[in-house]
Amino acid sequence: MTTSLASQSPPHELERDLESFFRERIQKIGGMTLKLAPTVAGAPDRLVLLPGSVIVLVELKTSKGSTRDIQKIWHVRARQLGTHVHVLHGKQEIVSWINRYLDSRSS
């Protein structure tokens, strides 16, 4: 059974609002999210720990935000090492990503 976490994105969403929204939604499903210090250019915003020993890196962007070239390079390198990296644009993608995770746990 999937719990709906749907929400509408405001017309002028801010990344800091997305971070709060993301953190709250991850906590609701029993996970943790840690904001990573920007010490390495291109590294994702968040380390996410989910039930079931799932560890992923997440880059949050507004609905209209874009990924910089240095971020794309970093994401490719992390994926080559077997690390899951997800770039989520806006609240709707956050909700969809969480719902896909919940669906994968129930199957």
Side-chain angles (χ1 to χ4, degrees):
M1 180 173 125
T2 302
T3 303
S4 176
L5 300 171
S7 177
Q8 294 294 320
S9 294
H12 301 289
E13 80 191 346
L14 300 173
E15 205 165 296
R16 72 170 182 259
D17 296 332
L18 284 179
E19 289 178 358
S20 295
F21 179 84
F22 184 70
R23 184 180 60 255
E24 290 167 7
R25 294 312 185 277
I26 292 297
Q27 289 173 348
K28 281 185 181 182
I29 63 169
M32 293 174 49
T33 177
L34 305 167
K35 178 139 175 90
L36 299 175
T39 57
V40 178
D45 298 326
R46 296 205 167 262
L47 173 67
V48 182
L49 309 172
L50 297 169
S53 302
V54 177
I55 301 171
V56 297
L57 295 172
V58 172
E59 180 72 42
L60 295 175
K61 296 288 183 186
T62 63
S63 298
K64 297 182 185 213
S66 60
T67 308
R68 293 178 292 130
D69 288 341
I70 188 67
Q71 291 173 314
K72 292 175 186 174
I73 292 167
W74 203 100
H75 298 171
V76 167
R77 289 180 182 162
R79 288 181 181 122
Q80 288 172 338
L81 293 170
T83 303
H84 295 277
V85 180
H86 301 275
V87 179
L88 305 176
H89 293 87
K91 288 184 178 182
Q92 291 306 313
E93 283 193 16
I94 290 170
V95 168
S96 294
W97 182 78
I98 291 172
N99 285 335
R100 281 193 308 275
Y101 164 76
L102 291 171
D103 288 346
S104 73
R105 301 253 318 146
S106 65
S107 50

